[in-house]
Every structure is written in structure tokens, then in C-alpha cells.
């Protein structure tokens, strides 16, 4: 019997591995199904990547606007600002976390499709996609804020 005391092998503990901390082991690349199949898989991988970009971009406008709309409707129906804010916040949080769950599943599918296309893909692209859409969304927001909305007239007074 061998003693497993390597910290990288047992999750940092000397008493055994914590559940869910086993090293990820990928199977060998799948067998080659032909050039047409690889092309189709690559096209599907591009489609999944585009879907991830679209869902990530929803975080910078439609999802918050939808939460505000629900909050306004609840406030109108109940005539209570507090209830409207609470329901709007709950809807916003549920939608944001639901979107993250969807993005995580799309990312896992993207990895599988890329591996099926013959590419040795071991990690996802979700962090990079989310970071890029966050940078673009923040930039677009600040341009809108400074040029078209509230701060424009105060930075350059008309008169």
C-alpha cells in the first residue's frame, strides 16, 4: 500500500482527497471521422462561441432593463416601491445567475465540440468571452454616459 502524501495529489490535505478535487483526466482525442465532419464540428464550435458572446452581451443592457421593467410593473400593481425594488432585485439576481449557468453549459459543450473537431481543447473560453464583453459593455456605457446622457452638458456647458 502506498501513502498518498503529495499535496497536489490529495487536495492539499494529508488525510485523503477532498471530494471533487481529483485531477482532470481527458480521454485521448476522438477518432477521425473525416474532413467534412471536422469542418461541421468547427462550424458548430463557432456558432456556440457566437451564442456565448450574445448571452454575455445581454448582461450589459437587456437583462438589467428587464429587471427594471419587472420592478416598475410590480410597483405599479402593488403601489409599493419597496415591493417593486425587492421583486426587481430578485428577478435580476435570478436572471443573472441563470445566464451564468447557461453560459457554463455552453462553454462545456464548446469544449466537447472543439475536441470532436480534432482540436486538443482542455479549457473553456468563458472567462475571456465574459471579460471581453464586460470591457466592451463598460466602454459603451461610459461613451453613452459622457456623450449622450447625463454628464455631457455639465462637462461642456452650453452657455
Amino acid at each position: 500500500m502506498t501513502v498518498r502524501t503529495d499535496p497536489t495529489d490529495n487536495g492539499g490535505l494529508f488525510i485523503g482527497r477532498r471530494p471533487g478535487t481529483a485531477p482532470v483526466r481527458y480521454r485521448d482525442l476522438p477518432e477521425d471521422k473525416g474532413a467534412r465532419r471536422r469542418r461541421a464540428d468547427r462550424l458548430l464550435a463557432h456558432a456556440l462561441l457566437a451564442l456565448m458572446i450574445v448571452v454575455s452581451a445581454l448582461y450589459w443592457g437587456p437583462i438589467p432593463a428587464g429587471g427594471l421593467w419587472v420592478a416598475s410593473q410590480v410597483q405599479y400593481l402593488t403601489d409599493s416601491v419597496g415591493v417593486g425594488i425587492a421583486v426587481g432585485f430578485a428577478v435580476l439576481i435570478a436572471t443573472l445567475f441563470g445566464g451564468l449557468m447557461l453560459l457554463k453549459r455552453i462553454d462545456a459543450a464548446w469544449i466537447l465540440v472543439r475536441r470532436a473537431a480534432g482540436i486538443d481543447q482542455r479549457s473553456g473560453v468563458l472567462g475571456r468571452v465574459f471579460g471581453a464583453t464586460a470591457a466592451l459593455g463598460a466602454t459603451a456605457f461610459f461613451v453613452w454616459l459622457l456623450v449622450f446622457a447625463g454628464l455631457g452638458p455639465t462637462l461642456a456647458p452650453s452657455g
Side-chain angles (χ1 to χ4, degrees), residues 19-109:
T21 61
V24 177
R25 290 185 175 85
Y26 291 96
R27 296 184 301 188
D28 293 335
L29 286 174
E31 64 183 62
D32 190 11
K33 298 284 188 180
R36 288 182 62 192
R37 176 64 183 261
R38 281 194 312 272
R39 248 189 322 273
D41 287 335
R42 285 186 179 144
L43 183 63
L44 181 58
H46 288 305
L48 287 173
L49 181 62
L51 180 62
M52 282 180 21
I53 291 169
V54 168
V55 172
S56 294
L58 292 177
Y59 279 72
W60 290 94
I63 290 177
L68 287 172
W69 181 81
V70 168
S72 70
Q73 297 301 309
V74 170
Q75 187 267 330
Y76 174 76
L77 292 173
T78 62
D79 202 27
S80 171
V81 174
V83 172
I85 290 173
V87 170
F89 183 73
V91 166
L92 181 65
I93 293 297
T95 308
L96 292 175
F97 280 113
L100 285 175
M101 290 170 42
L102 176 66
L103 283 169
K104 187 69 176 161
R105 286 184 173 92
I106 295 171
D107 192 42

Side-chain angles (χ1 to χ4, degrees), residues 117-129:
I119 300 166
D120 190 17
Q121 187 71 45
R122 295 177 185 260
S123 62
V125 72
L126 178 59
R128 289 179 282 175
V129 166

